[in-house]
Short mmCIF file of all heavy atoms in Angstrom, two decimals:
data_model
loop_
_atom_site.label_atom_id
_atom_site.label_comp_id
_atom_site.label_asym_id
_atom_site.label_seq_id
_atom_site.Cartn_x
_atom_site.Cartn_y
_atom_site.Cartn_z
N MET A 1 84.79 130.72 77.03
CA MET A 1 85.76 129.90 76.11
C MET A 1 86.78 130.87 75.54
O MET A 1 86.43 131.83 74.88
CB MET A 1 85.00 129.28 75.00
CG MET A 1 83.95 128.14 75.39
SD MET A 1 84.91 126.79 75.97
CE MET A 1 85.24 125.90 74.45
N ASN A 2 88.03 130.55 75.68
CA ASN A 2 89.07 131.28 75.12
C ASN A 2 89.71 130.48 73.94
O ASN A 2 90.19 129.43 74.05
CB ASN A 2 90.22 131.48 76.02
CG ASN A 2 89.77 132.47 77.20
OD1 ASN A 2 89.05 133.40 76.91
ND2 ASN A 2 90.11 132.15 78.45
N HIS A 3 89.39 131.02 72.70
CA HIS A 3 89.80 130.30 71.57
C HIS A 3 91.20 130.65 71.02
O HIS A 3 91.81 130.05 70.17
CB HIS A 3 88.82 130.53 70.36
CG HIS A 3 87.46 130.11 70.68
ND1 HIS A 3 87.14 128.73 70.67
CD2 HIS A 3 86.33 130.72 71.01
CE1 HIS A 3 85.91 128.53 70.97
NE2 HIS A 3 85.38 129.76 71.18
N SER A 4 91.82 131.71 71.64
CA SER A 4 93.17 132.21 71.27
C SER A 4 93.90 132.50 72.53
O SER A 4 93.30 132.96 73.55
CB SER A 4 92.94 133.43 70.36
OG SER A 4 94.29 133.94 70.11
N ILE A 5 95.15 132.32 72.54
CA ILE A 5 95.94 132.71 73.72
C ILE A 5 96.05 134.28 73.86
O ILE A 5 96.19 134.85 74.94
CB ILE A 5 97.38 132.17 73.58
CG1 ILE A 5 98.21 132.24 75.01
CG2 ILE A 5 98.23 132.80 72.52
CD1 ILE A 5 97.60 131.34 76.05
N GLN A 6 95.82 135.00 72.77
CA GLN A 6 95.84 136.45 72.82
C GLN A 6 94.58 136.97 73.55
O GLN A 6 94.67 138.04 74.19
CB GLN A 6 95.90 136.98 71.42
CG GLN A 6 97.30 136.77 70.79
CD GLN A 6 97.32 137.29 69.39
OE1 GLN A 6 96.31 137.38 68.67
NE2 GLN A 6 98.51 137.52 68.89
N SER A 7 93.48 136.26 73.38
CA SER A 7 92.25 136.77 74.03
C SER A 7 91.98 136.09 75.39
O SER A 7 90.99 136.29 76.02
CB SER A 7 91.04 136.48 73.13
OG SER A 7 90.86 135.12 73.00
N ALA A 8 92.88 135.23 75.91
CA ALA A 8 92.78 134.58 77.10
C ALA A 8 92.92 135.56 78.29
O ALA A 8 93.68 136.57 78.16
CB ALA A 8 93.76 133.50 77.28
N ASP A 9 92.29 135.30 79.39
CA ASP A 9 92.32 136.14 80.52
C ASP A 9 93.49 135.77 81.43
O ASP A 9 94.20 134.75 81.16
CB ASP A 9 91.07 136.22 81.30
CG ASP A 9 90.56 134.81 81.78
OD1 ASP A 9 91.21 133.86 81.27
OD2 ASP A 9 89.63 134.68 82.53
N ARG A 10 93.64 136.45 82.54
CA ARG A 10 94.74 136.19 83.41
C ARG A 10 94.78 134.80 84.07
O ARG A 10 95.73 134.21 84.21
CB ARG A 10 94.79 137.28 84.50
CG ARG A 10 95.96 137.17 85.51
CD ARG A 10 95.83 138.20 86.53
NE ARG A 10 96.01 139.55 85.97
CZ ARG A 10 97.02 140.32 86.11
NH1 ARG A 10 98.06 139.87 86.78
NH2 ARG A 10 97.08 141.46 85.50
N ALA A 11 93.58 134.30 84.37
CA ALA A 11 93.44 133.01 84.97
C ALA A 11 93.90 131.83 83.98
O ALA A 11 94.52 130.94 84.33
CB ALA A 11 92.03 132.72 85.38
N THR A 12 93.65 132.05 82.73
CA THR A 12 94.01 131.05 81.70
C THR A 12 95.49 131.01 81.60
O THR A 12 96.13 129.99 81.49
CB THR A 12 93.38 131.31 80.40
OG1 THR A 12 91.92 131.39 80.57
CG2 THR A 12 93.68 130.19 79.34
N HIS A 13 96.16 132.21 81.55
CA HIS A 13 97.58 132.26 81.51
C HIS A 13 98.25 131.68 82.71
O HIS A 13 99.20 130.98 82.61
CB HIS A 13 98.01 133.76 81.28
CG HIS A 13 97.81 134.35 79.99
ND1 HIS A 13 98.63 134.04 78.97
CD2 HIS A 13 96.90 135.26 79.57
CE1 HIS A 13 98.22 134.69 77.82
NE2 HIS A 13 97.15 135.44 78.18
N LEU A 14 97.62 131.94 83.84
CA LEU A 14 98.21 131.30 85.06
C LEU A 14 98.09 129.80 85.05
O LEU A 14 98.98 129.14 85.48
CB LEU A 14 97.42 131.88 86.27
CG LEU A 14 97.91 131.45 87.67
CD1 LEU A 14 99.40 131.98 87.82
CD2 LEU A 14 96.97 131.97 88.75
N LYS A 15 96.96 129.24 84.52
CA LYS A 15 96.79 127.79 84.42
C LYS A 15 97.89 127.16 83.43
O LYS A 15 98.47 126.19 83.78
CB LYS A 15 95.43 127.47 83.90
CG LYS A 15 94.37 127.76 84.91
CD LYS A 15 92.94 127.45 84.17
CE LYS A 15 91.86 127.85 85.09
NZ LYS A 15 90.53 127.69 84.46
N ILE A 16 98.16 127.90 82.36
CA ILE A 16 99.17 127.39 81.45
C ILE A 16 100.59 127.38 82.13
O ILE A 16 101.36 126.43 81.94
CB ILE A 16 99.19 128.32 80.15
CG1 ILE A 16 97.85 128.11 79.31
CG2 ILE A 16 100.43 127.99 79.24
CD1 ILE A 16 97.65 129.00 78.23
N VAL A 17 100.88 128.51 82.78
CA VAL A 17 102.24 128.51 83.49
C VAL A 17 102.31 127.47 84.55
O VAL A 17 103.32 126.80 84.72
CB VAL A 17 102.39 129.97 84.11
CG1 VAL A 17 103.59 130.00 85.03
CG2 VAL A 17 102.51 130.95 82.93
N ILE A 18 101.23 127.16 85.31
CA ILE A 18 101.28 126.13 86.29
C ILE A 18 101.43 124.74 85.75
O ILE A 18 102.24 123.95 86.22
CB ILE A 18 100.06 126.18 87.29
CG1 ILE A 18 100.10 127.47 88.18
CG2 ILE A 18 99.93 124.97 88.07
CD1 ILE A 18 98.87 127.81 88.87
N VAL A 19 100.74 124.48 84.67
CA VAL A 19 100.84 123.18 84.03
C VAL A 19 102.27 123.02 83.38
O VAL A 19 102.84 121.92 83.55
CB VAL A 19 99.70 123.02 82.89
CG1 VAL A 19 100.13 121.87 81.92
CG2 VAL A 19 98.35 122.91 83.55
N ALA A 20 102.84 124.07 82.87
CA ALA A 20 104.19 123.91 82.38
C ALA A 20 105.18 123.67 83.46
O ALA A 20 106.16 122.92 83.31
CB ALA A 20 104.54 125.22 81.55
N LEU A 21 104.99 124.39 84.64
CA LEU A 21 105.95 124.18 85.73
C LEU A 21 105.85 122.81 86.30
O LEU A 21 106.87 122.09 86.63
CB LEU A 21 105.71 125.20 86.79
CG LEU A 21 106.12 126.64 86.51
CD1 LEU A 21 105.74 127.58 87.64
CD2 LEU A 21 107.64 126.66 86.32
N VAL A 22 104.63 122.27 86.45
CA VAL A 22 104.41 120.89 86.94
C VAL A 22 105.05 119.86 85.97
O VAL A 22 105.67 118.93 86.35
CB VAL A 22 102.91 120.59 87.23
CG1 VAL A 22 102.67 119.14 87.43
CG2 VAL A 22 102.47 121.52 88.37
N ALA A 23 104.80 120.07 84.62
CA ALA A 23 105.42 119.20 83.72
C ALA A 23 106.86 119.20 83.78
O ALA A 23 107.60 118.13 83.62
CB ALA A 23 104.88 119.49 82.25
N GLY A 24 107.51 120.39 83.95
CA GLY A 24 108.96 120.50 83.99
C GLY A 24 109.45 119.81 85.28
O GLY A 24 110.62 119.17 85.19
N ALA A 25 108.69 119.85 86.37
CA ALA A 25 109.15 119.26 87.61
C ALA A 25 109.05 117.77 87.52
O ALA A 25 109.94 116.99 87.94
CB ALA A 25 108.24 119.75 88.75
N VAL A 26 108.00 117.20 86.79
CA VAL A 26 107.88 115.82 86.59
C VAL A 26 109.01 115.22 85.75
O VAL A 26 109.60 114.22 85.99
CB VAL A 26 106.52 115.50 86.05
CG1 VAL A 26 106.46 113.99 85.52
CG2 VAL A 26 105.40 115.82 87.04
N LEU A 27 109.32 116.00 84.68
CA LEU A 27 110.44 115.56 83.73
C LEU A 27 111.75 115.53 84.46
O LEU A 27 112.60 114.69 84.29
CB LEU A 27 110.41 116.37 82.47
CG LEU A 27 109.28 116.17 81.54
CD1 LEU A 27 109.33 117.12 80.29
CD2 LEU A 27 109.41 114.71 80.96
N THR A 28 112.00 116.66 85.19
CA THR A 28 113.25 116.72 85.96
C THR A 28 113.35 115.61 87.05
O THR A 28 114.44 114.94 87.07
CB THR A 28 113.32 118.06 86.78
OG1 THR A 28 113.22 119.09 85.75
CG2 THR A 28 114.66 118.18 87.42
N THR A 29 112.32 115.27 87.67
CA THR A 29 112.28 114.14 88.64
C THR A 29 112.53 112.89 87.93
O THR A 29 113.36 111.95 88.42
CB THR A 29 111.01 114.09 89.49
OG1 THR A 29 110.76 115.35 90.00
CG2 THR A 29 111.02 113.08 90.51
N PHE A 30 111.90 112.56 86.86
CA PHE A 30 112.03 111.40 86.11
C PHE A 30 113.42 111.30 85.54
O PHE A 30 114.09 110.13 85.58
CB PHE A 30 111.00 111.34 84.96
CG PHE A 30 111.13 110.10 84.09
CD1 PHE A 30 110.70 108.84 84.65
CD2 PHE A 30 111.59 110.17 82.84
CE1 PHE A 30 110.78 107.74 83.82
CE2 PHE A 30 111.66 109.07 82.04
CZ PHE A 30 111.25 107.80 82.50
N GLY A 31 114.06 112.36 85.02
CA GLY A 31 115.34 112.28 84.50
C GLY A 31 116.46 112.01 85.54
O GLY A 31 117.33 111.29 85.25
N THR A 32 116.29 112.64 86.69
CA THR A 32 117.22 112.33 87.85
C THR A 32 117.14 110.98 88.35
O THR A 32 118.06 110.44 88.89
CB THR A 32 117.13 113.37 88.93
OG1 THR A 32 115.81 113.42 89.38
CG2 THR A 32 117.52 114.77 88.41
N SER A 33 115.89 110.34 88.32
CA SER A 33 115.73 109.02 88.77
C SER A 33 116.44 108.00 87.83
O SER A 33 116.80 106.94 88.33
CB SER A 33 114.31 108.64 88.94
OG SER A 33 113.72 108.57 87.67
N LEU A 34 116.61 108.32 86.55
CA LEU A 34 117.29 107.47 85.59
C LEU A 34 118.76 107.52 85.70
O LEU A 34 119.51 106.71 85.19
CB LEU A 34 116.90 107.84 84.15
CG LEU A 34 115.37 107.59 83.85
CD1 LEU A 34 115.17 107.95 82.36
CD2 LEU A 34 115.08 106.14 84.05
N HIS A 35 119.28 108.63 86.35
CA HIS A 35 120.76 108.78 86.53
C HIS A 35 121.35 107.67 87.34
O HIS A 35 120.75 107.35 88.41
CB HIS A 35 121.10 110.16 87.16
CG HIS A 35 122.47 110.58 87.13
ND1 HIS A 35 123.17 110.76 85.96
CD2 HIS A 35 123.30 110.70 88.21
CE1 HIS A 35 124.41 111.12 86.22
NE2 HIS A 35 124.55 111.05 87.58
N PRO A 36 122.46 107.13 86.98
CA PRO A 36 123.09 105.99 87.77
C PRO A 36 123.42 106.56 89.26
O PRO A 36 123.66 107.76 89.42
CB PRO A 36 124.31 105.65 87.04
CG PRO A 36 124.58 106.59 85.97
CD PRO A 36 123.24 107.39 85.79
N SER A 37 123.41 105.62 90.14
CA SER A 37 123.70 105.97 91.53
C SER A 37 125.08 106.48 91.66
O SER A 37 125.99 106.24 90.88
CB SER A 37 123.36 104.76 92.39
OG SER A 37 124.27 103.72 92.09
N THR A 38 125.29 107.11 92.83
CA THR A 38 126.72 107.71 93.08
C THR A 38 127.69 106.66 93.52
O THR A 38 128.87 106.93 93.50
CB THR A 38 126.58 108.82 94.13
OG1 THR A 38 125.95 108.18 95.34
CG2 THR A 38 125.67 109.94 93.66
N ASP A 39 127.23 105.46 93.88
CA ASP A 39 128.12 104.43 94.33
C ASP A 39 128.72 103.63 93.19
O ASP A 39 129.46 102.68 93.34
CB ASP A 39 127.55 103.49 95.37
CG ASP A 39 126.38 102.77 94.85
OD1 ASP A 39 125.85 103.08 93.80
OD2 ASP A 39 125.85 101.86 95.52
N PHE A 40 128.42 104.01 91.95
CA PHE A 40 128.91 103.31 90.77
C PHE A 40 130.40 103.79 90.62
O PHE A 40 130.75 104.94 90.55
CB PHE A 40 128.12 103.80 89.48
CG PHE A 40 128.66 103.24 88.27
CD1 PHE A 40 128.48 101.89 88.02
CD2 PHE A 40 129.27 104.03 87.35
CE1 PHE A 40 128.90 101.35 86.82
CE2 PHE A 40 129.71 103.47 86.12
CZ PHE A 40 129.46 102.17 85.82
N VAL A 41 131.26 102.83 90.47
CA VAL A 41 132.73 103.02 90.37
C VAL A 41 133.16 102.62 89.01
O VAL A 41 132.97 101.54 88.49
CB VAL A 41 133.49 102.21 91.58
CG1 VAL A 41 134.95 102.43 91.33
CG2 VAL A 41 132.97 102.57 92.86
N GLN A 42 133.91 103.52 88.46
CA GLN A 42 134.49 103.27 87.12
C GLN A 42 135.95 102.89 87.32
O GLN A 42 136.66 103.55 88.09
CB GLN A 42 134.41 104.45 86.16
CG GLN A 42 133.11 104.63 85.57
CD GLN A 42 133.14 105.74 84.49
OE1 GLN A 42 133.87 106.69 84.63
NE2 GLN A 42 132.40 105.55 83.38
N THR A 43 136.39 101.84 86.65
CA THR A 43 137.80 101.50 86.68
C THR A 43 138.43 101.88 85.26
O THR A 43 137.86 101.66 84.26
CB THR A 43 138.06 100.01 87.03
OG1 THR A 43 137.33 99.29 86.04
CG2 THR A 43 137.47 99.74 88.41
N VAL A 44 139.67 102.31 85.35
CA VAL A 44 140.40 102.58 84.16
C VAL A 44 141.55 101.72 83.98
O VAL A 44 142.35 101.49 84.89
CB VAL A 44 140.84 104.10 84.17
CG1 VAL A 44 141.65 104.44 82.89
CG2 VAL A 44 139.74 105.01 84.35
N HIS A 45 141.68 101.05 82.77
CA HIS A 45 142.78 100.18 82.57
C HIS A 45 143.75 100.94 81.65
O HIS A 45 143.44 101.40 80.60
CB HIS A 45 142.31 98.89 81.80
CG HIS A 45 141.39 98.08 82.67
ND1 HIS A 45 141.71 97.35 83.70
CD2 HIS A 45 140.03 98.00 82.55
CE1 HIS A 45 140.58 96.93 84.29
NE2 HIS A 45 139.57 97.18 83.52
N VAL A 46 145.02 101.01 82.14
CA VAL A 46 146.02 101.86 81.46
C VAL A 46 146.93 100.79 80.75
O VAL A 46 147.39 99.82 81.34
CB VAL A 46 146.90 102.64 82.43
CG1 VAL A 46 148.02 103.38 81.66
CG2 VAL A 46 146.03 103.68 83.13
N LYS A 47 147.15 100.99 79.43
CA LYS A 47 148.06 100.16 78.65
C LYS A 47 149.35 101.01 78.42
O LYS A 47 149.31 102.11 77.96
CB LYS A 47 147.44 99.71 77.33
CG LYS A 47 146.26 98.82 77.55
CD LYS A 47 145.97 98.17 76.14
CE LYS A 47 144.91 97.08 76.33
NZ LYS A 47 144.75 96.27 75.10
N LYS A 48 150.39 100.33 78.67
CA LYS A 48 151.71 100.99 78.40
C LYS A 48 152.27 100.66 77.02
O LYS A 48 152.00 99.55 76.59
CB LYS A 48 152.75 100.58 79.51
CG LYS A 48 152.36 101.14 80.89
CD LYS A 48 153.39 100.77 81.87
CE LYS A 48 153.00 101.35 83.22
NZ LYS A 48 154.14 101.26 84.21
N ALA A 49 152.88 101.58 76.44
CA ALA A 49 153.54 101.40 75.13
C ALA A 49 154.60 100.43 75.22
O ALA A 49 155.42 100.41 76.19
CB ALA A 49 153.84 102.77 74.61
N GLY A 50 154.86 99.66 74.14
CA GLY A 50 155.97 98.76 74.00
C GLY A 50 157.14 99.48 73.51
O GLY A 50 157.29 100.60 73.55
N GLN A 51 158.09 98.70 73.06
CA GLN A 51 159.31 99.22 72.48
C GLN A 51 158.98 99.94 71.11
O GLN A 51 158.03 99.45 70.33
CB GLN A 51 160.32 98.13 72.17
CG GLN A 51 160.81 97.44 73.47
CD GLN A 51 161.67 98.44 74.25
OE1 GLN A 51 162.36 99.23 73.73
NE2 GLN A 51 161.58 98.33 75.59
N PRO A 52 159.61 101.06 70.83
CA PRO A 52 159.45 101.68 69.61
C PRO A 52 159.92 100.92 68.39
O PRO A 52 160.87 100.16 68.52
CB PRO A 52 160.23 103.04 69.69
CG PRO A 52 161.19 102.79 70.78
CD PRO A 52 160.58 101.78 71.72
N THR A 53 159.20 100.96 67.33
CA THR A 53 159.66 100.26 66.12
C THR A 53 159.96 101.28 64.93
O THR A 53 159.40 102.40 64.94
CB THR A 53 158.54 99.31 65.61
OG1 THR A 53 157.37 100.01 65.37
CG2 THR A 53 158.29 98.26 66.61
N MET A 54 160.78 100.83 64.12
CA MET A 54 161.20 101.79 63.01
C MET A 54 160.84 101.08 61.63
O MET A 54 161.17 99.90 61.43
CB MET A 54 162.66 102.12 63.07
CG MET A 54 163.18 103.13 62.12
SD MET A 54 164.83 103.49 62.64
CE MET A 54 164.95 105.11 62.12
N VAL A 55 160.21 101.69 60.75
CA VAL A 55 159.92 101.15 59.48
C VAL A 55 160.79 101.88 58.47
O VAL A 55 160.83 103.08 58.28
CB VAL A 55 158.35 101.48 59.17
CG1 VAL A 55 158.05 100.89 57.71
CG2 VAL A 55 157.52 100.81 60.23
N SER A 56 161.58 101.02 57.78
CA SER A 56 162.44 101.59 56.78
C SER A 56 161.94 101.49 55.37
O SER A 56 162.30 102.34 54.49
CB SER A 56 163.85 100.85 56.88
OG SER A 56 163.66 99.57 56.58
N SER A 57 161.11 100.52 55.15
CA SER A 57 160.56 100.50 53.84
C SER A 57 159.16 99.80 54.02
O SER A 57 158.84 99.11 54.87
CB SER A 57 161.37 99.61 52.87
OG SER A 57 161.30 98.25 53.29
N SER A 58 158.29 100.19 53.00
CA SER A 58 156.87 99.74 53.02
C SER A 58 156.53 99.24 51.75
O SER A 58 156.87 99.73 50.69
CB SER A 58 156.00 100.89 53.47
OG SER A 58 154.65 100.49 53.46
N GLU A 59 155.75 98.19 51.71
CA GLU A 59 155.37 97.53 50.44
C GLU A 59 153.95 98.15 50.01
O GLU A 59 153.40 97.81 49.08
CB GLU A 59 155.17 96.00 50.60
CG GLU A 59 156.48 95.34 50.88
CD GLU A 59 157.47 95.46 49.79
OE1 GLU A 59 157.10 95.46 48.63
OE2 GLU A 59 158.72 95.52 50.06
N ALA A 60 153.35 99.09 50.82
CA ALA A 60 152.22 99.67 50.50
C ALA A 60 152.25 100.59 49.30
O ALA A 60 153.21 101.37 49.16
CB ALA A 60 151.61 100.38 51.72
N SER A 61 151.25 100.64 48.47
CA SER A 61 151.25 101.53 47.32
C SER A 61 150.67 102.85 47.73
O SER A 61 149.69 102.98 48.47
CB SER A 61 150.46 100.97 46.23
OG SER A 61 149.14 100.79 46.60
N LEU A 62 151.16 103.96 47.24
CA LEU A 62 150.72 105.27 47.51
C LEU A 62 149.82 105.69 46.37
O LEU A 62 150.14 105.69 45.22
CB LEU A 62 151.89 106.23 47.60
CG LEU A 62 151.63 107.66 47.92
CD1 LEU A 62 150.99 107.81 49.34
CD2 LEU A 62 152.86 108.54 47.92
N VAL A 63 148.59 106.15 46.78
CA VAL A 63 147.65 106.66 45.76
C VAL A 63 147.40 108.14 46.05
O VAL A 63 147.13 108.51 47.03
CB VAL A 63 146.28 105.83 45.94
CG1 VAL A 63 145.20 106.43 44.91
CG2 VAL A 63 146.43 104.45 45.74
N ARG A 64 147.62 108.89 44.90
CA ARG A 64 147.43 110.29 45.05
C ARG A 64 146.27 110.78 44.20
O ARG A 64 145.96 110.43 43.18
CB ARG A 64 148.71 111.04 44.60
CG ARG A 64 149.80 110.82 45.59
CD ARG A 64 150.95 111.66 45.15
NE ARG A 64 152.14 111.33 45.95
CZ ARG A 64 152.97 112.18 46.41
NH1 ARG A 64 152.81 113.53 46.05
NH2 ARG A 64 154.01 111.88 47.15
#
């Protein structure tokens, strides 16, 4: 029985590394399966600006 990671032997350290690598591989596989497929097409709608307007006076109050 190894009660501390400091007193653990080489086999215990190897088991910990293997479990961490397997868990990382599982998470990576799960994460990439959630990624949308590559045939997903995004469309962009472009809005063009209208005629410029000029404001000569404003009824808004200025608060400083």
